Amino acid sequence: MKFATLRATQADGRLLLVSRDLRYATYAGPDIPTLLDALERWTEVCSELEHRYEELNTGRGRHAFPFDPSRCAAPLPRSPQWCDGSAFLGHGRLMEQAFNTPPIPDFETVPLMYQGASDDFLGPHDDVPFVDEAGGIDFEGEFGVVVDRVPMGVGAAKALSHVRLIVQLNDWSLRTYGQREMRTGFGFLQAKPSTSFAPVALTPDELGPCWRDGRVHLNLEVTWNGRWFGHPHGGEMNFHFGELIAHAARTRRLTAGTIVGSGTVSNAAGDAGSTCIAERRVIETLGGGAASTAFMRFGDVVRMSARDVERQTPFGTIEQKVVQARR
């Protein structure tokens, strides 16, 4: 199934079912008003949602209308918890150099993870406000999963059975703040503004063979102001999503609707490019002694879309402009 959330007067919007080709949508119904409600009652409502989804895709759905991603909020406009990992170890090693921090113990055996703000996610076409350009505005293309209730101490294999939805996201970062906050040992706060999401969240079966081994086997294509920036493949995760979920649930339960991110999608092969500016800047520094790519400016536009072998975009597209925040 594919889901989206239409903006509404209610903070959590109105839940939509979206056709497989992303052309049409229909309301999930008054009995399932939001995606968070559906996740909290998944075993109760799943069959009904599947029935309505099948009707939508076969042209039998009542009250279907053209799907407009520009009217969408994030699939979950707010979530009980947002935990972002760093599952692409090549990227992690480069970030150690970017932040000038010593090597992290157990880096290759224990996932890195931080807890981000989950109360104010951004939709796929929202302008992204920042106070000024001095913070080192950066984008970070990622994949993520949304889980149902996960028990404390769950194993990695069992954890994968708790994945209900897969999402595509942009984990915005302010690199100037990040350098200071990394040195404090307390983790990110000001360095991590609201995260943006592609319009569509989908059940794992919708990806077919592109969802296997707890990884999203799709290229994540990124352009910046209309120019190619990278298209790395999600299959190179060193820790799969089951391992990331198990890490988050090691000492606590996870509530239904918790989102777990992959961290910045990154490939060892240099010809795949990058999904964040900081990584490119480190590569430039290592190769030529100095970074030549600046961070984002007001008016810049970033576009992200995961594509399959047929060039289809199962999650839709994130396309956003950086703007100056009103004071």
Side-chain angles (χ1 to χ4, degrees):
M1 292 178 284
K2 293 190 175 185
F3 299 95
T5 292
L6 190 67
R7 295 189 185 282
T9 54
Q10 304 93 331
D12 295 312
R14 293 190 64 183
L15 180 60
L16 302 178
L17 285 162
V18 182
S19 63
R20 189 166 285 114
D21 59 9
L22 307 189
R23 294 180 60 193
Y24 297 99
T26 188
Y27 292 110
D31 52 332
I32 315 172
T34 69
L35 185 53
L36 184 58
D37 176 67
L39 289 162
E40 290 174 336
R41 299 190 294 129
W42 191 260
T43 55
E44 175 188 341
V45 303
C46 185
S47 294
E48 180 61 26
L49 287 170
E50 288 176 339
H51 175 71
R52 295 174 187 175
Y53 183 65
E54 180 64 21
E55 287 186 331
L56 178 64
N57 281 295
T58 55
R60 295 179 290 115
R62 293 175 294 175
H63 311 301
F65 51 86
F67 178 55
D68 182 0
S70 68
R71 299 179 61 198
C72 289
L76 279 169
R78 54 184 179 170
S79 165
Q81 188 170 203
W82 158 227
C83 298
D84 197 17
S86 182
F88 296 85
L89 298 191
H91 173 80
R93 288 301 188 199
L94 288 171
M95 289 303 97
E96 287 179 348
Q97 297 179 63
F99 293 125
N100 194 26
T101 55
I104 299 171
D106 305 316
F107 182 77
E108 297 184 0
T109 56
V110 180
L112 296 177
M113 188 169 288
Y114 81 91
Q115 189 171 37
S118 60
D119 60 327
D120 185 32
F121 291 139
L122 299 177
H125 297 287
D126 292 344
D127 288 344
V128 186
F130 295 98
V131 173
D132 55 48
E133 296 173 341
I137 303 168
D138 199 357
F139 47 81
E140 291 192 63
E142 304 187 18
F143 295 110
V145 295
V146 187
V147 299
D148 59 11
R149 295 180 181 88
V150 179
M152 181 171 59
V154 68
K158 181 65 175 177
L160 279 177
S161 69
H162 291 278
V163 172
R164 290 291 168 253
L165 300 170
I166 306 171
V167 292
Q168 177 199 315
L169 60 104
N170 180 1
D171 180 40
W172 289 96
S173 293
L174 293 171
R175 299 302 186 182
T176 302
Y177 298 127
Q179 291 182 0
R180 177 190 175 277
E181 291 180 336
M182 285 290 287
R183 290 194 295 269
T184 68
F186 262 53
F188 296 127
L189 180 68
Q190 294 177 344
K192 289 297 184 179
S194 296
T195 302
S196 304
F197 288 79
V200 174
L202 49 84
T203 51
D205 60 289
E206 292 290 334
L207 290 183
C210 293
W211 170 254
R212 63 182 186 274
D213 304 320
R215 297 169 173 87
V216 178
H217 291 262
L218 295 172
N219 290 322
L220 183 53
E221 296 187 359
V222 178
T223 64
W224 179 10
N225 292 332
R227 301 180 65 180
W228 176 87
F229 198 83
H231 62 262
H233 194 267
E236 282 196 25
M237 286 175 71
N238 297 80
F239 299 106
H240 62 68
F241 275 111
E243 293 170 301
L244 295 180
I245 296 166
H247 178 76
R250 179 68 182 87
T251 59
R252 56 182 169 179
R253 297 173 295 176
L254 304 183
T255 303
T258 293
I259 305 171
V260 178
S262 67
T264 306
V265 179
S266 179
N267 291 173
D271 58 355
S274 300
T275 62
C276 81
I277 300 170
E279 180 176 291
R280 176 179 282 190
R281 284 171 58 87
V282 175
I283 294 170
E284 290 170 346
T285 300
L286 294 176
S292 58
T293 301
F295 289 112
M296 298 186 81
R297 306 288 301 273
F298 295 142
D300 284 2
V301 175
V302 63
R303 180 182 175 91
M304 299 181 178
S305 53
R307 294 185 181 273
D308 59 24
V309 294
E310 297 179 350
R311 303 291 296 163
Q312 300 301 307
T313 56
F315 302 96
T317 297
I318 299 172
E319 185 168 5
Q320 295 182 294
K321 180 190 292 186
V322 170
V323 300
Q324 187 165 24
R326 296 179 180 178
R327 301 195 186 188

